[in-house]
Amino acid sequence: MEVARTTHGPFERLSFAFDTPTGRSQHSVYRLGDTLIDAGGTVATAELLALLRDRPPRRIVCTHQHEDHVGNIAAIRRAFGDLPVFVPRHHVPIVTTTARIPEYRAVFWGHPEPSGPVEPYDPGAVFEDSSVALEAVLTPGHTPHHITFVARDGAATYALTADLYTSRPLEGWFESAADDMVASLRRIAARAPDLVVLPTHGRIKPDGARVLSDMAEWIDREAERVREAADRLDTRDPRALAAALYEGLGPDIADIGSGGEISRAGFVRSILSPNRGLPVTPP
């Protein structure tokens, strides 16, 4: 396990990475003073607790319900006491009960533990720590009710985007909605021209407004191609359209490895039949 601890303005990033047989796993947890933003996956429980032991957190706020963001809530509480945990209201039933996920995801992030009692919050909530206010901004697209935290520190503006940003948007997640993703990306990009994006996966984006805007434009253009192909081929079948549009890219390895949860067909479906609510039945 490769562990990295870096500082970005008032935030500390704790990153965990390792190679798996099917690709590289990397995810991050952020810290602002005594507040953790997300709790990480159980694949890195020991490493995370070791980093937190010298100054245990006093609060956890989560961006959404997935295992690489909430998996360690119970372990952190066992280690450091029954600290308060805040979760988006619509995600509470999932976070408090989920104990198993598909094995391909467990290889990357670990099976989560049910969190125990949590406190729901809504978009617009503000969490303050170290004289910095974290504003919860609704950013659906990756999953319904997903939250991005936006914060100002002096002249700088930071966006903790969780899974709003992805470097591989064509690998569509089965819970996603492309039009919501585009609107969310533009909503956050508009916050500041010098926005710094702090994502869960991948590199820090010091030119965050441009990166998010570029991604929104790419999805918009690709969505137009998908709709044109659907009309031309007279089908709305995601697999048929993905095969027609992207056959030159070769086999869809993500689709094969995830049992259809992550796929080019999933990206097409997110355009033609976007998901707006939870739970979503896997394909």
Side-chain angles (χ1 to χ4, degrees), residues 89-127:
R89 183 175 303 277
H90 294 279
H91 297 171
V92 169
I94 300 170
V95 173
T96 55
T97 61
T98 302
R100 301 291 296 180
I101 55 174
E103 286 302 322
Y104 86 91
R105 284 159 56 185
V107 169
F108 278 78
W109 319 122
H111 289 289
E113 285 190 74
S115 64
V118 299
E119 300 184 40
Y121 73 85
D122 296 304
V126 175
F127 301 93

PDB file of all heavy atoms in Angstrom, residues 89-127:
ATOM      1  N   ARG A  89     -29.033  13.005   3.484  1.00  0.00           N
ATOM      2  CA  ARG A  89     -30.268  12.414   4.024  1.00  0.00           C
ATOM      3  C   ARG A  89     -30.722  11.184   3.242  1.00  0.00           C
ATOM      4  O   ARG A  89     -31.077  10.160   3.825  1.00  0.00           O
ATOM      5  CB  ARG A  89     -31.374  13.475   4.024  1.00  0.00           C
ATOM      6  CG  ARG A  89     -32.688  12.998   4.640  1.00  0.00           C
ATOM      7  CD  ARG A  89     -33.703  14.119   4.718  1.00  0.00           C
ATOM      8  NE  ARG A  89     -33.190  15.258   5.481  1.00  0.00           N
ATOM      9  CZ  ARG A  89     -33.211  15.341   6.819  1.00  0.00           C
ATOM     10  NH1 ARG A  89     -33.714  14.340   7.525  1.00  0.00           N
ATOM     11  NH2 ARG A  89     -32.732  16.404   7.416  1.00  0.00           N
ATOM     12  N   HIS A  90     -30.698  11.257   1.911  1.00  0.00           N
ATOM     13  CA  HIS A  90     -31.202  10.149   1.100  1.00  0.00           C
ATOM     14  C   HIS A  90     -30.275   8.928   1.125  1.00  0.00           C
ATOM     15  O   HIS A  90     -30.680   7.851   0.686  1.00  0.00           O
ATOM     16  CB  HIS A  90     -31.411  10.608  -0.338  1.00  0.00           C
ATOM     17  CG  HIS A  90     -32.501  11.632  -0.489  1.00  0.00           C
ATOM     18  ND1 HIS A  90     -33.830  11.301  -0.546  1.00  0.00           N
ATOM     19  CD2 HIS A  90     -32.444  12.988  -0.566  1.00  0.00           C
ATOM     20  CE1 HIS A  90     -34.559  12.399  -0.673  1.00  0.00           C
ATOM     21  NE2 HIS A  90     -33.740  13.427  -0.691  1.00  0.00           N
ATOM     22  N   HIS A  91     -29.068   9.092   1.622  1.00  0.00           N
ATOM     23  CA  HIS A  91     -28.105   7.987   1.647  1.00  0.00           C
ATOM     24  C   HIS A  91     -28.051   7.273   2.988  1.00  0.00           C
ATOM     25  O   HIS A  91     -27.384   6.240   3.110  1.00  0.00           O
ATOM     26  CB  HIS A  91     -26.705   8.506   1.290  1.00  0.00           C
ATOM     27  CG  HIS A  91     -26.611   9.053  -0.090  1.00  0.00           C
ATOM     28  ND1 HIS A  91     -25.505   9.740  -0.550  1.00  0.00           N
ATOM     29  CD2 HIS A  91     -27.474   9.015  -1.138  1.00  0.00           C
ATOM     30  CE1 HIS A  91     -25.694  10.104  -1.797  1.00  0.00           C
ATOM     31  NE2 HIS A  91     -26.888   9.679  -2.178  1.00  0.00           N
ATOM     32  N   VAL A  92     -28.735   7.802   3.986  1.00  0.00           N
ATOM     33  CA  VAL A  92     -28.659   7.219   5.335  1.00  0.00           C
ATOM     34  C   VAL A  92     -29.040   5.737   5.353  1.00  0.00           C
ATOM     35  O   VAL A  92     -28.323   4.920   5.948  1.00  0.00           O
ATOM     36  CB  VAL A  92     -29.524   8.031   6.318  1.00  0.00           C
ATOM     37  CG1 VAL A  92     -29.688   7.291   7.650  1.00  0.00           C
ATOM     38  CG2 VAL A  92     -28.895   9.407   6.549  1.00  0.00           C
ATOM     39  N   PRO A  93     -30.152   5.320   4.726  1.00  0.00           N
ATOM     40  CA  PRO A  93     -30.502   3.892   4.789  1.00  0.00           C
ATOM     41  C   PRO A  93     -29.444   2.971   4.193  1.00  0.00           C
ATOM     42  O   PRO A  93     -29.291   1.828   4.641  1.00  0.00           O
ATOM     43  CB  PRO A  93     -31.813   3.805   3.999  1.00  0.00           C
ATOM     44  CG  PRO A  93     -32.364   5.196   4.013  1.00  0.00           C
ATOM     45  CD  PRO A  93     -31.169   6.101   3.994  1.00  0.00           C
ATOM     46  N   ILE A  94     -28.719   3.455   3.194  1.00  0.00           N
ATOM     47  CA  ILE A  94     -27.687   2.639   2.558  1.00  0.00           C
ATOM     48  C   ILE A  94     -26.447   2.569   3.443  1.00  0.00           C
ATOM     49  O   ILE A  94     -25.881   1.498   3.675  1.00  0.00           O
ATOM     50  CB  ILE A  94     -27.337   3.218   1.175  1.00  0.00           C
ATOM     51  CG1 ILE A  94     -28.576   3.224   0.274  1.00  0.00           C
ATOM     52  CG2 ILE A  94     -26.208   2.410   0.519  1.00  0.00           C
ATOM     53  CD1 ILE A  94     -28.403   3.981  -1.025  1.00  0.00           C
ATOM     54  N   VAL A  95     -26.019   3.705   3.956  1.00  0.00           N
ATOM     55  CA  VAL A  95     -24.799   3.763   4.767  1.00  0.00           C
ATOM     56  C   VAL A  95     -24.937   2.958   6.055  1.00  0.00           C
ATOM     57  O   VAL A  95     -23.985   2.311   6.500  1.00  0.00           O
ATOM     58  CB  VAL A  95     -24.450   5.239   5.078  1.00  0.00           C
ATOM     59  CG1 VAL A  95     -23.283   5.336   6.049  1.00  0.00           C
ATOM     60  CG2 VAL A  95     -24.137   5.995   3.801  1.00  0.00           C
ATOM     61  N   THR A  96     -26.108   2.953   6.632  1.00  0.00           N
ATOM     62  CA  THR A  96     -26.292   2.290   7.930  1.00  0.00           C
ATOM     63  C   THR A  96     -26.533   0.790   7.822  1.00  0.00           C
ATOM     64  O   THR A  96     -26.496   0.092   8.843  1.00  0.00           O
ATOM     65  CB  THR A  96     -27.471   2.928   8.690  1.00  0.00           C
ATOM     66  OG1 THR A  96     -28.649   2.902   7.870  1.00  0.00           O
ATOM     67  CG2 THR A  96     -27.160   4.360   9.077  1.00  0.00           C
ATOM     68  N   THR A  97     -26.744   0.285   6.605  1.00  0.00           N
ATOM     69  CA  THR A  97     -27.074  -1.141   6.479  1.00  0.00           C
ATOM     70  C   THR A  97     -26.167  -1.939   5.561  1.00  0.00           C
ATOM     71  O   THR A  97     -26.110  -3.174   5.674  1.00  0.00           O
ATOM     72  CB  THR A  97     -28.515  -1.311   5.963  1.00  0.00           C
ATOM     73  OG1 THR A  97     -28.635  -0.701   4.671  1.00  0.00           O
ATOM     74  CG2 THR A  97     -29.514  -0.680   6.919  1.00  0.00           C
ATOM     75  N   THR A  98     -25.444  -1.305   4.652  1.00  0.00           N
ATOM     76  CA  THR A  98     -24.682  -2.043   3.630  1.00  0.00           C
ATOM     77  C   THR A  98     -23.436  -2.687   4.223  1.00  0.00           C
ATOM     78  O   THR A  98     -22.608  -2.009   4.832  1.00  0.00           O
ATOM     79  CB  THR A  98     -24.278  -1.129   2.464  1.00  0.00           C
ATOM     80  OG1 THR A  98     -25.468  -0.562   1.893  1.00  0.00           O
ATOM     81  CG2 THR A  98     -23.523  -1.910   1.399  1.00  0.00           C
ATOM     82  N   ALA A  99     -23.311  -4.008   4.025  1.00  0.00           N
ATOM     83  CA  ALA A  99     -22.154  -4.746   4.535  1.00  0.00           C
ATOM     84  C   ALA A  99     -21.444  -5.549   3.449  1.00  0.00           C
ATOM     85  O   ALA A  99     -20.329  -6.019   3.679  1.00  0.00           O
ATOM     86  CB  ALA A  99     -22.590  -5.688   5.664  1.00  0.00           C
ATOM     87  N   ARG A 100     -22.082  -5.716   2.290  1.00  0.00           N
ATOM     88  CA  ARG A 100     -21.470  -6.480   1.200  1.00  0.00           C
ATOM     89  C   ARG A 100     -21.674  -5.735  -0.101  1.00  0.00           C
ATOM     90  O   ARG A 100     -22.719  -5.121  -0.333  1.00  0.00           O
ATOM     91  CB  ARG A 100     -22.093  -7.876   1.081  1.00  0.00           C
ATOM     92  CG  ARG A 100     -21.993  -8.747   2.307  1.00  0.00           C
ATOM     93  CD  ARG A 100     -20.571  -9.189   2.600  1.00  0.00           C
ATOM     94  NE  ARG A 100     -20.011 -10.029   1.555  1.00  0.00           N
ATOM     95  CZ  ARG A 100     -18.777 -10.534   1.608  1.00  0.00           C
ATOM     96  NH1 ARG A 100     -17.987 -10.266   2.642  1.00  0.00           N
ATOM     97  NH2 ARG A 100     -18.332 -11.297   0.628  1.00  0.00           N
ATOM     98  N   ILE A 101     -20.668  -5.795  -0.944  1.00  0.00           N
ATOM     99  CA  ILE A 101     -20.729  -5.231  -2.278  1.00  0.00           C
ATOM    100  C   ILE A 101     -20.211  -6.284  -3.245  1.00  0.00           C
ATOM    101  O   ILE A 101     -19.627  -7.290  -2.809  1.00  0.00           O
ATOM    102  CB  ILE A 101     -19.887  -3.939  -2.374  1.00  0.00           C
ATOM    103  CG1 ILE A 101     -18.439  -4.214  -1.912  1.00  0.00           C
ATOM    104  CG2 ILE A 101     -20.524  -2.816  -1.564  1.00  0.00           C
ATOM    105  CD1 ILE A 101     -17.492  -3.058  -2.108  1.00  0.00           C
ATOM    106  N   PRO A 102     -20.387  -6.114  -4.546  1.00  0.00           N
ATOM    107  CA  PRO A 102     -19.816  -7.085  -5.491  1.00  0.00           C
ATOM    108  C   PRO A 102     -18.312  -7.243  -5.289  1.00  0.00           C
ATOM    109  O   PRO A 102     -17.608  -6.288  -4.948  1.00  0.00           O
ATOM    110  CB  PRO A 102     -20.144  -6.471  -6.857  1.00  0.00           C
ATOM    111  CG  PRO A 102     -21.385  -5.672  -6.612  1.00  0.00           C
ATOM    112  CD  PRO A 102     -21.214  -5.095  -5.232  1.00  0.00           C
ATOM    113  N   GLU A 103     -17.830  -8.444  -5.511  1.00  0.00           N
ATOM    114  CA  GLU A 103     -16.431  -8.750  -5.194  1.00  0.00           C
ATOM    115  C   GLU A 103     -15.444  -7.918  -6.000  1.00  0.00           C
ATOM    116  O   GLU A 103     -14.369  -7.584  -5.496  1.00  0.00           O
ATOM    117  CB  GLU A 103     -16.155 -10.244  -5.407  1.00  0.00           C
ATOM    118  CG  GLU A 103     -16.752 -11.131  -4.324  1.00  0.00           C
ATOM    119  CD  GLU A 103     -16.242 -10.780  -2.932  1.00  0.00           C
ATOM    120  OE1 GLU A 103     -15.039 -10.449  -2.802  1.00  0.00           O
ATOM    121  OE2 GLU A 103     -17.037 -10.825  -1.985  1.00  0.00           O
ATOM    122  N   TYR A 104     -15.785  -7.575  -7.231  1.00  0.00           N
ATOM    123  CA  TYR A 104     -14.823  -6.777  -8.008  1.00  0.00           C
ATOM    124  C   TYR A 104     -14.592  -5.425  -7.342  1.00  0.00           C
ATOM    125  O   TYR A 104     -13.487  -4.868  -7.397  1.00  0.00           O
ATOM    126  CB  TYR A 104     -15.303  -6.609  -9.457  1.00  0.00           C
ATOM    127  CG  TYR A 104     -16.251  -5.448  -9.675  1.00  0.00           C
ATOM    128  CD1 TYR A 104     -15.772  -4.182 -10.030  1.00  0.00           C
ATOM    129  CD2 TYR A 104     -17.624  -5.606  -9.501  1.00  0.00           C
ATOM    130  CE1 TYR A 104     -16.635  -3.120 -10.216  1.00  0.00           C
ATOM    131  CE2 TYR A 104     -18.486  -4.548  -9.682  1.00  0.00           C
ATOM    132  CZ  TYR A 104     -18.000  -3.306 -10.044  1.00  0.00           C
ATOM    133  OH  TYR A 104     -18.859  -2.254 -10.210  1.00  0.00           O
ATOM    134  N   ARG A 105     -15.627  -4.869  -6.697  1.00  0.00           N
ATOM    135  CA  ARG A 105     -15.476  -3.599  -5.989  1.00  0.00           C
ATOM    136  C   ARG A 105     -14.731  -3.791  -4.674  1.00  0.00           C
ATOM    137  O   ARG A 105     -13.920  -2.933  -4.270  1.00  0.00           O
ATOM    138  CB  ARG A 105     -16.843  -2.967  -5.739  1.00  0.00           C
ATOM    139  CG  ARG A 105     -17.427  -2.330  -6.977  1.00  0.00           C
ATOM    140  CD  ARG A 105     -18.929  -2.146  -6.946  1.00  0.00           C
ATOM    141  NE  ARG A 105     -19.424  -1.387  -5.818  1.00  0.00           N
ATOM    142  CZ  ARG A 105     -20.721  -1.199  -5.577  1.00  0.00           C
ATOM    143  NH1 ARG A 105     -21.643  -1.730  -6.387  1.00  0.00           N
ATOM    144  NH2 ARG A 105     -21.105  -0.486  -4.539  1.00  0.00           N
ATOM    145  N   ALA A 106     -14.976  -4.915  -4.021  1.00  0.00           N
ATOM    146  CA  ALA A 106     -14.278  -5.183  -2.760  1.00  0.00           C
ATOM    147  C   ALA A 106     -12.770  -5.293  -2.959  1.00  0.00           C
ATOM    148  O   ALA A 106     -11.990  -4.921  -2.076  1.00  0.00           O
ATOM    149  CB  ALA A 106     -14.833  -6.448  -2.120  1.00  0.00           C
ATOM    150  N   VAL A 107     -12.334  -5.808  -4.117  1.00  0.00           N
ATOM    151  CA  VAL A 107     -10.904  -5.884  -4.399  1.00  0.00           C
ATOM    152  C   VAL A 107     -10.280  -4.494  -4.374  1.00  0.00           C
ATOM    153  O   VAL A 107      -9.172  -4.296  -3.867  1.00  0.00           O
ATOM    154  CB  VAL A 107     -10.665  -6.555  -5.769  1.00  0.00           C
ATOM    155  CG1 VAL A 107      -9.213  -6.402  -6.209  1.00  0.00           C
ATOM    156  CG2 VAL A 107     -11.046  -8.032  -5.705  1.00  0.00           C
ATOM    157  N   PHE A 108     -11.006  -3.509  -4.874  1.00  0.00           N
ATOM    158  CA  PHE A 108     -10.489  -2.136  -4.958  1.00  0.00           C
ATOM    159  C   PHE A 108     -10.668  -1.365  -3.658  1.00  0.00           C
ATOM    160  O   PHE A 108      -9.781  -0.603  -3.253  1.00  0.00           O
ATOM    161  CB  PHE A 108     -11.192  -1.389  -6.091  1.00  0.00           C
ATOM    162  CG  PHE A 108     -10.604  -1.658  -7.438  1.00  0.00           C
ATOM    163  CD1 PHE A 108     -10.890  -2.839  -8.122  1.00  0.00           C
ATOM    164  CD2 PHE A 108      -9.762  -0.744  -8.048  1.00  0.00           C
ATOM    165  CE1 PHE A 108     -10.351  -3.095  -9.371  1.00  0.00           C
ATOM    166  CE2 PHE A 108      -9.214  -0.985  -9.300  1.00  0.00           C
ATOM    167  CZ  PHE A 108      -9.505  -2.169  -9.958  1.00  0.00           C
ATOM    168  N   TRP A 109     -11.827  -1.532  -2.990  1.00  0.00           N
ATOM    169  CA  TRP A 109     -12.167  -0.642  -1.877  1.00  0.00           C
ATOM    170  C   TRP A 109     -12.439  -1.373  -0.563  1.00  0.00           C
ATOM    171  O   TRP A 109     -12.450  -0.726   0.492  1.00  0.00           O
ATOM    172  CB  TRP A 109     -13.401   0.202  -2.227  1.00  0.00           C
ATOM    173  CG  TRP A 109     -13.415   0.710  -3.624  1.00  0.00           C
ATOM    174  CD1 TRP A 109     -14.373   0.490  -4.565  1.00  0.00           C
ATOM    175  CD2 TRP A 109     -12.425   1.540  -4.262  1.00  0.00           C
ATOM    176  NE1 TRP A 109     -14.051   1.119  -5.743  1.00  0.00           N
ATOM    177  CE2 TRP A 109     -12.853   1.770  -5.584  1.00  0.00           C
ATOM    178  CE3 TRP A 109     -11.224   2.108  -3.836  1.00  0.00           C
ATOM    179  CZ2 TRP A 109     -12.120   2.538  -6.492  1.00  0.00           C
ATOM    180  CZ3 TRP A 109     -10.494   2.869  -4.737  1.00  0.00           C
ATOM    181  CH2 TRP A 109     -10.937   3.072  -6.035  1.00  0.00           C
ATOM    182  N   GLY A 110     -12.681  -2.663  -0.602  1.00  0.00           N
ATOM    183  CA  GLY A 110     -13.044  -3.412   0.596  1.00  0.00           C
ATOM    184  C   GLY A 110     -14.533  -3.384   0.846  1.00  0.00           C
ATOM    185  O   GLY A 110     -15.239  -2.442   0.455  1.00  0.00           O
ATOM    186  N   HIS A 111     -15.051  -4.428   1.496  1.00  0.00           N
ATOM    187  CA  HIS A 111     -16.461  -4.433   1.894  1.00  0.00           C
ATOM    188  C   HIS A 111     -16.672  -3.413   3.011  1.00  0.00           C
ATOM    189  O   HIS A 111     -15.880  -3.343   3.954  1.00  0.00           O
ATOM    190  CB  HIS A 111     -16.871  -5.824   2.400  1.00  0.00           C
ATOM    191  CG  HIS A 111     -16.966  -6.856   1.319  1.00  0.00           C
ATOM    192  ND1 HIS A 111     -17.961  -6.854   0.377  1.00  0.00           N
ATOM    193  CD2 HIS A 111     -16.164  -7.922   1.022  1.00  0.00           C
ATOM    194  CE1 HIS A 111     -17.790  -7.878  -0.455  1.00  0.00           C
ATOM    195  NE2 HIS A 111     -16.706  -8.536  -0.088  1.00  0.00           N
ATOM    196  N   PRO A 112     -17.717  -2.606   2.927  1.00  0.00           N
ATOM    197  CA  PRO A 112     -17.964  -1.630   3.989  1.00  0.00           C
ATOM    198  C   PRO A 112     -18.555  -2.294   5.223  1.00  0.00           C
ATOM    199  O   PRO A 112     -19.071  -3.408   5.163  1.00  0.00           O
ATOM    200  CB  PRO A 112     -18.993  -0.687   3.357  1.00  0.00           C
ATOM    201  CG  PRO A 112     -19.760  -1.581   2.421  1.00  0.00           C
ATOM    202  CD  PRO A 112     -18.750  -2.565   1.878  1.00  0.00           C
ATOM    203  N   GLU A 113     -18.459  -1.605   6.347  1.00  0.00           N
ATOM    204  CA  GLU A 113     -19.196  -1.981   7.548  1.00  0.00           C
ATOM    205  C   GLU A 113     -20.388  -1.047   7.695  1.00  0.00           C
ATOM    206  O   GLU A 113     -20.251   0.164   7.430  1.00  0.00           O
ATOM    207  CB  GLU A 113     -18.330  -1.835   8.795  1.00  0.00           C
ATOM    208  CG  GLU A 113     -17.288  -2.888   9.012  1.00  0.00           C
ATOM    209  CD  GLU A 113     -16.686  -2.761  10.402  1.00  0.00           C
ATOM    210  OE1 GLU A 113     -17.383  -3.125  11.372  1.00  0.00           O
ATOM    211  OE2 GLU A 113     -15.556  -2.281  10.508  1.00  0.00           O
ATOM    212  N   PRO A 114     -21.544  -1.546   8.115  1.00  0.00           N
ATOM    213  CA  PRO A 114     -22.632  -0.624   8.440  1.00  0.00           C
ATOM    214  C   PRO A 114     -22.146   0.402   9.461  1.00  0.00           C
ATOM    215  O   PRO A 114     -21.411   0.076  10.392  1.00  0.00           O
ATOM    216  CB  PRO A 114     -23.708  -1.549   9.019  1.00  0.00           C
ATOM    217  CG  PRO A 114     -23.422  -2.884   8.391  1.00  0.00           C
ATOM    218  CD  PRO A 114     -21.922  -2.958   8.283  1.00  0.00           C
ATOM    219  N   SER A 115     -22.550   1.627   9.288  1.00  0.00           N
ATOM    220  CA  SER A 115     -21.947   2.733  10.017  1.00  0.00           C
ATOM    221  C   SER A 115     -22.380   2.853  11.469  1.00  0.00           C
ATOM    222  O   SER A 115     -21.692   3.473  12.278  1.00  0.00           O
ATOM    223  CB  SER A 115     -22.307   4.045   9.315  1.00  0.00           C
ATOM    224  OG  SER A 115     -23.715   4.252   9.361  1.00  0.00           O
ATOM    225  N   GLY A 116     -23.559   2.293  11.823  1.00  0.00           N
ATOM    226  CA  GLY A 116     -24.188   2.680  13.082  1.00  0.00           C
ATOM    227  C   GLY A 116     -24.950   3.974  12.867  1.00  0.00           C
ATOM    228  O   GLY A 116     -25.033   4.494  11.747  1.00  0.00           O
ATOM    229  N   PRO A 117     -25.527   4.530  13.925  1.00  0.00           N
ATOM    230  CA  PRO A 117     -26.355   5.734  13.778  1.00  0.00           C
ATOM    231  C   PRO A 117     -25.575   6.904  13.179  1.00  0.00           C
ATOM    232  O   PRO A 117     -24.425   7.149  13.525  1.00  0.00           O
ATOM    233  CB  PRO A 117     -26.780   6.048  15.218  1.00  0.00           C
ATOM    234  CG  PRO A 117     -26.654   4.754  15.947  1.00  0.00           C
ATOM    235  CD  PRO A 117     -25.496   4.035  15.321  1.00  0.00           C
ATOM    236  N   VAL A 118     -26.218   7.604  12.252  1.00  0.00           N
ATOM    237  CA  VAL A 118     -25.631   8.798  11.642  1.00  0.00           C
ATOM    238  C   VAL A 118     -26.665   9.914  11.657  1.00  0.00           C
ATOM    239  O   VAL A 118     -27.856   9.683  11.866  1.00  0.00           O
ATOM    240  CB  VAL A 118     -25.168   8.531  10.197  1.00  0.00           C
ATOM    241  CG1 VAL A 118     -24.103   7.448  10.159  1.00  0.00           C
ATOM    242  CG2 VAL A 118     -26.351   8.154   9.304  1.00  0.00           C
ATOM    243  N   GLU A 119     -26.198  11.123  11.424  1.00  0.00           N
ATOM    244  CA  GLU A 119     -27.084  12.283  11.378  1.00  0.00           C
ATOM    245  C   GLU A 119     -27.252  12.726   9.928  1.00  0.00           C
ATOM    246  O   GLU A 119     -26.257  12.946   9.230  1.00  0.00           O
ATOM    247  CB  GLU A 119     -26.510  13.420  12.217  1.00  0.00           C
ATOM    248  CG  GLU A 119     -26.333  13.050  13.679  1.00  0.00           C
ATOM    249  CD  GLU A 119     -25.854  14.223  14.523  1.00  0.00           C
ATOM    250  OE1 GLU A 119     -26.344  15.350  14.279  1.00  0.00           O
ATOM    251  OE2 GLU A 119     -25.007  14.010  15.402  1.00  0.00           O
ATOM    252  N   PRO A 120     -28.499  12.856   9.456  1.00  0.00           N
ATOM    253  CA  PRO A 120     -28.708  13.278   8.066  1.00  0.00           C
ATOM    254  C   PRO A 120     -28.471  14.775   7.911  1.00  0.00           C
ATOM    255  O   PRO A 120     -28.688  15.563   8.835  1.00  0.00           O
ATOM    256  CB  PRO A 120     -30.171  12.928   7.815  1.00  0.00           C
ATOM    257  CG  PRO A 120     -30.810  13.030   9.167  1.00  0.00           C
ATOM    258  CD  PRO A 120     -29.765  12.568  10.150  1.00  0.00           C
ATOM    259  N   TYR A 121     -28.014  15.165   6.725  1.00  0.00           N
ATOM    260  CA  TYR A 121     -27.950  16.585   6.399  1.00  0.00           C
ATOM    261  C   TYR A 121     -28.486  16.791   4.989  1.00  0.00           C
ATOM    262  O   TYR A 121     -28.608  15.852   4.202  1.00  0.00           O
ATOM    263  CB  TYR A 121     -26.530  17.140   6.555  1.00  0.00           C
ATOM    264  CG  TYR A 121     -25.538  16.727   5.489  1.00  0.00           C
ATOM    265  CD1 TYR A 121     -25.438  17.428   4.284  1.00  0.00           C
ATOM    266  CD2 TYR A 121     -24.684  15.637   5.670  1.00  0.00           C
ATOM    267  CE1 TYR A 121     -24.527  17.059   3.303  1.00  0.00           C
ATOM    268  CE2 TYR A 121     -23.767  15.269   4.698  1.00  0.00           C
ATOM    269  CZ  TYR A 121     -23.696  15.988   3.516  1.00  0.00           C
ATOM    270  OH  TYR A 121     -22.801  15.615   2.536  1.00  0.00           O
ATOM    271  N   ASP A 122     -28.798  18.039   4.679  1.00  0.00           N
ATOM    272  CA  ASP A 122     -29.372  18.395   3.389  1.00  0.00           C
ATOM    273  C   ASP A 122     -28.457  19.357   2.639  1.00  0.00           C
ATOM    274  O   ASP A 122     -27.601  20.017   3.248  1.00  0.00           O
ATOM    275  CB  ASP A 122     -30.740  19.056   3.598  1.00  0.00           C
ATOM    276  CG  ASP A 122     -31.745  18.114   4.223  1.00  0.00           C
ATOM    277  OD1 ASP A 122     -31.966  17.030   3.657  1.00  0.00           O
ATOM    278  OD2 ASP A 122     -32.299  18.453   5.295  1.00  0.00           O
ATOM    279  N   PRO A 123     -28.613  19.478   1.305  1.00  0.00           N
ATOM    280  CA  PRO A 123     -27.854  20.482   0.569  1.00  0.00           C
ATOM    281  C   PRO A 123     -28.043  21.863   1.192  1.00  0.00           C
ATOM    282  O   PRO A 123     -29.140  22.205   1.640  1.00  0.00           O
ATOM    283  CB  PRO A 123     -28.467  20.415  -0.833  1.00  0.00           C
ATOM    284  CG  PRO A 123     -28.993  19.013  -0.942  1.00  0.00           C
ATOM    285  CD  PRO A 123     -29.491  18.668   0.425  1.00  0.00           C
ATOM    286  N   GLY A 124     -26.967  22.618   1.229  1.00  0.00           N
ATOM    287  CA  GLY A 124     -27.004  23.918   1.878  1.00  0.00           C
ATOM    288  C   GLY A 124     -26.459  23.900   3.290  1.00  0.00           C
ATOM    289  O   GLY A 124     -26.178  24.966   3.857  1.00  0.00           O
ATOM    290  N   ALA A 125     -26.299  22.711   3.863  1.00  0.00           N
ATOM    291  CA  ALA A 125     -25.720  22.614   5.202  1.00  0.00           C
ATOM    292  C   ALA A 125     -24.291  23.161   5.179  1.00  0.00           C
ATOM    293  O   ALA A 125     -23.587  23.068   4.169  1.00  0.00           O
ATOM    294  CB  ALA A 125     -25.722  21.164   5.679  1.00  0.00           C
ATOM    295  N   VAL A 126     -23.880  23.740   6.300  1.00  0.00           N
ATOM    296  CA  VAL A 126     -22.532  24.286   6.424  1.00  0.00           C
ATOM    297  C   VAL A 126     -21.870  23.679   7.656  1.00  0.00           C
ATOM    298  O   VAL A 126     -22.453  23.677   8.745  1.00  0.00           O
ATOM    299  CB  VAL A 126     -22.556  25.823   6.538  1.00  0.00           C
ATOM    300  CG1 VAL A 126     -21.141  26.365   6.779  1.00  0.00           C
ATOM    301  CG2 VAL A 126     -23.142  26.442   5.271  1.00  0.00           C
ATOM    302  N   PHE A 127     -20.656  23.168   7.472  1.00  0.00           N
ATOM    303  CA  PHE A 127     -19.865  22.597   8.559  1.00  0.00           C
ATOM    304  C   PHE A 127     -18.607  23.454   8.706  1.00  0.00           C
ATOM    305  O   PHE A 127     -17.838  23.591   7.760  1.00  0.00           O
ATOM    306  CB  PHE A 127     -19.489  21.145   8.245  1.00  0.00           C
ATOM    307  CG  PHE A 127     -20.666  20.243   8.036  1.00  0.00           C
ATOM    308  CD1 PHE A 127     -21.175  20.018   6.750  1.00  0.00           C
ATOM    309  CD2 PHE A 127     -21.292  19.618   9.105  1.00  0.00           C
ATOM    310  CE1 PHE A 127     -22.259  19.177   6.550  1.00  0.00           C
ATOM    311  CE2 PHE A 127     -22.387  18.781   8.910  1.00  0.00           C
ATOM    312  CZ  PHE A 127     -22.867  18.566   7.639  1.00  0.00           C
TER     313      PHE A 127
END
